Amino acid sequence: MKYVLVTGGVVSGLGKGVTASSIGLLLKSCGFRVTSIKIDPYLNTDAGTMSPFEHGEVFVLDDGGEVDLDLGNYERFLDITLTRDNNITTGKIYQYVINKERRGDYLGKTVQVVPHITDAIQEWIERAAKIPVDGKEGPADICVIELGGTIGDIESMPFIEALGQFSYRVGPGNFCLVHVSLVPVLNVVGEQKTKPTQHSVRGLRGLGLTPNILACRSTMALDDNVKLKLSQFCHVPAENIVTLYDVPNIWHIPLLLRDQKAHEAILKGLNLLGIASKPDLTEWTARTKVYDMLHEPVKIVMVGKYIGLKDSYLSVLKALLHASVGCRKKLIVEWVEASHLEDITAKEDPETYKAAWNHLKGADGILVPGGFGDRGVQGKIHAAKYARESKVPFLGICLGMQIAVIEYARSVLGLHYANTEEFDPQTSNPCVIFMPEGSKTHMGGTMRLGSRRTYFKVPDCKSAKLYGDANFVDERHRHRYEVNPDMISKLEAAGLSFVGRDETGRRMEIVELPSHPYFIGVQFHPEFKSRPGKPSALFSGLIAASCGQLELFLNKSDHVSNGVANGVNTGKANLKVWQNGNCFKSANGSLNGLYSNGNGVHH
């Protein structure tokens, strides 16, 4: 096993996740099998209990792991399926060591950070690196490890020490360190300044790690004299210093690395240069060109409560981008704070209220994503009502599906006090109830999580057609509440159709309004399995419907999404695969918006 470690210096938010993903993609294009590990130095066991405002979205894996959003980036770039063990946190490591101590595994020794914590980190890395993630048997050839945070952070010190020991143990021919740093340009003098990177590398070397490659973030390509200066003071060969300058979108980053021969420097450090093939990024390059040339717009309004931090809906945004590029449309996202659509805002701030409704009424399509807490729920209900009555294409995800059901019960069934037990435990008409197997005392890891199977009960529904006339589909979940099965008969009698259910038939997974051009709600999160060439079926349906092309889209003989990516099973011997070649991935600059001077989406 070979290891590539990606660290960051000077400031946070440089885009280490994008760099690590791009390196992985580049190495994969050279013919190697690649896996990824993300190290997060925070004390939380996982990301499940964090507010999206704290750390961006919580990404959910097939095995139910609630992890850092960087793992979503790895999965999308590399088209792999990671596990919860591919995300290491300080909380996990300390819990692991303390459990061993309680069992008596340390034979009465004093348990210390060195060697016990550092040994546990190394053991975890080696164990996680061997887990197959690409559908093939056996471990990958190369593991790309990203260390979160910035060099010098006190939280990451045990990991730095462990990785220093690890690099020595596996040997120089099996370990390559890529350090991502900032080379700022001062507007006053217009000069690229190397001192921050010099100090960062000095600090890294003082902690026992020496970088093999410098990846320098800057607004423009580094001057040759700047590279020579960095080479002299950081003890890194000039040919091993690459520039990651601002680009229109991050699809350019792997191409940027390839053009600067970063793969050769990495493979040389890993003693793999002799067996590597020439990087084949033909398909990736074609996607990048297509995406850059899109100009015909499609406007989607996102009605949410975390719009202050766009990373809160990162996977949703990427899935929209995948689908819009697949339909050859330029995505325009209008962000609407859900509470701004509510009556109380009309009284307190009429201008904001009016602006929010103007955005909503100008939408080609409306999307209500998942969320927790009652803030903005009434606004989301208003959005669902507007989409239903105005025949505007609508997709509700998780809570978005639940509020669509509540709105229908109130408006069509006349149950004016219909609600969810999450926000009104005493409601007389509970449309959404707490799941019996859930925990009301412990929050972390107690939801219905991970990949679950949904069976289509109505074969000719829009959802089944979008999934390629599938019998069932496997998608990822993250919820504590579900649509009340005792309400289903009334709702269906009034026109709603619960077309997808779990294996028991009592848990509702997909709801449609047959009389509407495109009104779909899903309990699962289809955005988590969207891939560059395999956009999520339901997001593709939303974009196609928003462009007025849904029937044409559904009638295409080759519209069927890839079975592996979307967990589809048709029950037929031959599964058709998406063939139009246009369904490409997009992204939002960097995970923190620093890699590009735009994020591919116009707000």
Side-chain angles (χ1 to χ4, degrees), residues 2-281:
K2 308 285 186 176
Y3 300 90
V4 178
L5 173 64
V6 178
T7 60
V10 184
V11 294
S12 60
L14 285 177
K16 294 188 304 297
V18 173
T19 304
S21 301
S22 299
I23 288 170
L25 175 65
L26 192 54
L27 295 174
K28 184 178 179 180
S29 74
C30 291
F32 297 101
R33 294 174 62 197
V34 180
T35 185
S36 293
I37 293 174
K38 172 69 188 294
I39 297 174
D40 285 303
Y42 48 68
L43 276 169
N44 303 63
T45 302
D46 58 33
T49 56
M50 289 186 185
S51 163
F53 286 124
E54 285 279 325
H55 214 67
E57 77 169 3
V58 177
F59 191 80
V60 180
L61 303 171
D62 266 5
D63 65 1
E66 297 173 283
V67 297
D68 185 82
L69 52 76
D70 278 326
L71 275 79
N73 223 39
Y74 305 156
E75 285 202 346
R76 286 184 285 264
F77 265 67
L78 299 173
D79 195 15
I80 55 179
T81 302
L82 297 170
T83 72
R84 67 180 73 225
D85 284 345
N86 290 89
N87 191 194
I88 305 174
T89 69
T90 298
K92 283 182 180 179
I93 294 295
Y94 273 78
Q95 190 175 60
Y96 173 72
V97 171
I98 289 170
N99 287 343
K100 288 184 70 175
E101 187 274 331
R102 291 290 83 188
R103 289 197 306 266
D105 291 0
Y106 294 114
L107 303 175
K109 293 183 179 179
T110 302
V111 180
Q112 297 174 290
V113 173
V114 181
H116 301 102
I117 294 294
T118 53
D119 284 351
I121 293 168
Q122 295 176 68
E123 290 168 14
W124 198 302
I125 289 172
E126 286 189 304
R127 184 173 68 252
K130 293 176 182 176
I131 300 172
V133 296
D134 57 2
K136 301 176 184 177
E137 293 185 0
D141 303 310
I142 302 171
C143 177
V144 179
I145 306 166
E146 179 194 347
L147 175 62
T150 306
I151 294 302
D153 293 347
I154 192 169
E155 295 92 346
S156 60
M157 288 301 179
F159 292 101
I160 293 286
E161 175 61 28
L163 289 163
Q165 295 178 16
F166 188 70
S167 66
Y168 177 75
R169 185 155 63 85
V170 300
N174 297 310
F175 190 90
C176 179
L177 172 54
V178 180
H179 187 59
V180 183
S181 186
L182 178 67
V183 178
V185 178
L186 298 183
N187 291 333
V188 178
V189 293
E191 181 185 358
Q192 294 173 328
K193 309 302 289 185
T194 64
K195 193 63 71 176
T197 295
Q198 291 180 42
H199 283 297
S200 180
V201 172
R202 185 179 303 148
L204 186 62
R205 293 174 66 204
L207 294 169
L209 287 169
T210 301
N212 303 93
I213 297 169
L214 283 181
C216 298
R217 285 284 295 111
S218 190
T219 54
M220 60 192 75
L222 293 186
D223 298 332
D224 289 340
N225 65 314
V226 173
K227 281 191 176 184
L228 289 173
K229 190 174 182 181
L230 284 171
S231 176
Q232 181 181 2
F233 285 96
C234 299
H235 304 179
V236 175
E239 61 270 20
N240 286 14
I241 299 175
V242 298
T243 312
L244 300 176
Y245 53 82
D246 290 351
V247 289
N249 68 75
I250 62 165
W251 288 358
H252 290 274
I253 298 301
L255 308 179
L256 213 56
L257 291 170
R258 179 202 61 189
D259 294 343
Q260 296 177 76
K261 295 183 169 47
H263 59 290
E264 292 185 6
I266 295 170
L267 294 170
K268 184 178 179 181
L270 298 176
N271 292 333
L272 292 173
L273 195 56
I275 61 172
S277 58
K278 186 178 179 181
D280 182 8
L281 290 172

Side-chain angles (χ1 to χ4, degrees), residues 1 54 534 591:
M1 177 69 71
E54 285 279 325
K534 310 166 209 168
L591 292 181

